Amino acid sequence: MQKAMALIKNKPKEYFVVAPGIDLYKFDIKEGMREEGVVTFGCIKALEEVSGIDVLLDAYKEMKGQTEAKTKLIIIGEGSKENELRHQAAKLGIESEVEFKGYVPNDKLPDEINRMNALVNPSRYEMLGVPTLEGMACGVPTIATDTDGSSEIILNGVTGYTVKNGNLSALVYRLKEFAEYPQNAAKMGTKTRGDIEDYFEINACTDKYIKALEFASKK
């Protein structure tokens, strides 16, 4: 985030950087949505190779072998790898704790996110993770690989965690931390919405986009 803001400040005036806006009236914090006694991890990604969900399943299985905490994993999204990922979950013996919800309409996502203690974004490559922004708006931190997008959005150790892309043990470590100490995730969640309000509020982003279009039309 800080790097992006610094780059914006140093650009000539004819450049405009407009982030995707988040509807803060829709994506908001809702109390009392989480299942008591269960730490719920969520992943909102297309079920494709680039999303790295196969790595998340491996990490979740390994984490379960290191803790007695009661957890579950919700995967939201569709894609060509769905059957393969379901088979992987069954082979790993975690199918009873992994729920593939498929496509969820945008207007239903805020409720789904508010049921989660933390989001996980295991992408192998990504410029910007919109579900991470939506999660932050709902007061939910994200554990993410250190892709360009996540490294700009997440303040590591404050509003979530970034782990080295491809480092399975690092992902396992952070999953285990939140599983055993969900209060750490909750504490981070109290700090996430402020960044969204400052940089990604939809009306402010729309105004910037309009100004950029108006400027371009005058050239």
Side-chain angles (χ1 to χ4, degrees), residues 42-46 53 74-77 109 112-113 116 119-122 126 131-132 134-135:
C43 180
I44 307 173
K45 303 293 298 178
I53 299 172
I74 296 173
I75 297 174
I76 295 173
L109 273 179
E112 293 293 341
I113 292 172
M116 302 169 185
L119 277 164
V120 187
N121 183 351
E126 188 169 59
T132 297
E134 293 170 341

Side-chain angles (χ1 to χ4, degrees), residues 92-139:
L92 291 170
I94 57 174
E95 69 271 30
S96 64
E97 297 182 25
V98 179
E99 181 180 2
F100 289 87
K101 292 188 74 75
Y103 169 75
V104 172
N106 190 262
D107 63 331
K108 303 294 184 183
L109 273 179
D111 284 349
E112 293 293 341
I113 292 172
N114 273 281
R115 293 187 179 101
M116 302 169 185
N117 295 84
L119 277 164
V120 187
N121 183 351
S123 288
R124 292 182 166 92
Y125 172 81
E126 188 169 59
M127 292 303 296
L128 182 67
V130 173
T132 297
L133 299 176
E134 293 170 341
M136 291 175 70
C138 294

Side-chain angles (χ1 to χ4, degrees), residues 127-186:
M127 292 303 296
L128 182 67
V130 173
T132 297
L133 299 176
E134 293 170 341
M136 291 175 70
C138 294
V140 177
T142 299
I143 303 170
T145 49
D146 60 347
T147 58
D148 289 341
S150 292
S151 296
E152 289 292 336
I153 297 168
I154 297 168
L155 185 56
N156 193 31
V158 178
T159 59
Y161 286 120
T162 55
V163 299
K164 186 72 175 176
N165 201 343
N167 189 331
L168 182 67
S169 62
L171 181 54
V172 172
Y173 181 83
R174 293 307 182 190
L175 288 171
K176 182 183 176 185
E177 176 187 335
F178 280 175
E180 295 185 338
Y181 304 100
Q183 65 269 25
N184 290 358

Side-chain angles (χ1 to χ4, degrees), residues 187-198:
K187 184 177 179 180
M188 287 184 176
T190 64
K191 302 174 183 178
T192 60
R193 189 171 171 89
D195 281 352
I196 303 303
E197 291 173 343
D198 289 344

Side-chain angles (χ1 to χ4, degrees), residues 2-155:
Q2 289 79 6
K3 188 191 299 182
M5 293 304 104
L7 288 172
I8 292 170
K9 289 178 181 178
N10 292 328
K11 284 183 178 293
K13 290 184 178 180
E14 63 266 24
Y15 284 85
F16 290 83
V17 178
V18 183
I22 302 299
D23 186 345
L24 296 181
Y25 298 99
K26 179 186 294 184
F27 290 90
D28 200 357
I29 299 169
K30 299 181 181 181
E31 303 292 344
M33 299 287 289
R34 291 169 187 155
E35 185 176 348
E36 193 75 25
V38 179
V39 177
T40 301
F41 296 101
C43 180
I44 307 173
K45 303 293 298 178
L47 306 188
E48 303 295 346
E49 180 75 16
V50 70
S51 298
I53 299 172
D54 56 319
V55 177
L56 172 56
L57 293 176
D58 285 338
Y60 185 84
K61 166 64 176 179
E62 191 167 327
M63 180 269 292
K64 292 301 296 180
Q66 298 180 18
T67 181
E68 295 182 359
K70 190 174 182 181
T71 64
K72 68 179 179 181
L73 173 61
I74 296 173
I75 297 174
I76 295 173
E78 298 177 311
S80 65
K81 297 292 184 179
E82 180 173 350
N83 289 338
E84 187 176 319
L85 292 168
R86 286 180 179 273
H87 178 74
Q88 180 185 353
K91 187 175 180 180
L92 291 170
I94 57 174
E95 69 271 30
S96 64
E97 297 182 25
V98 179
E99 181 180 2
F100 289 87
K101 292 188 74 75
Y103 169 75
V104 172
N106 190 262
D107 63 331
K108 303 294 184 183
L109 273 179
D111 284 349
E112 293 293 341
I113 292 172
N114 273 281
R115 293 187 179 101
M116 302 169 185
N117 295 84
L119 277 164
V120 187
N121 183 351
S123 288
R124 292 182 166 92
Y125 172 81
E126 188 169 59
M127 292 303 296
L128 182 67
V130 173
T132 297
L133 299 176
E134 293 170 341
M136 291 175 70
C138 294
V140 177
T142 299
I143 303 170
T145 49
D146 60 347
T147 58
D148 289 341
S150 292
S151 296
E152 289 292 336
I153 297 168
I154 297 168
L155 185 56

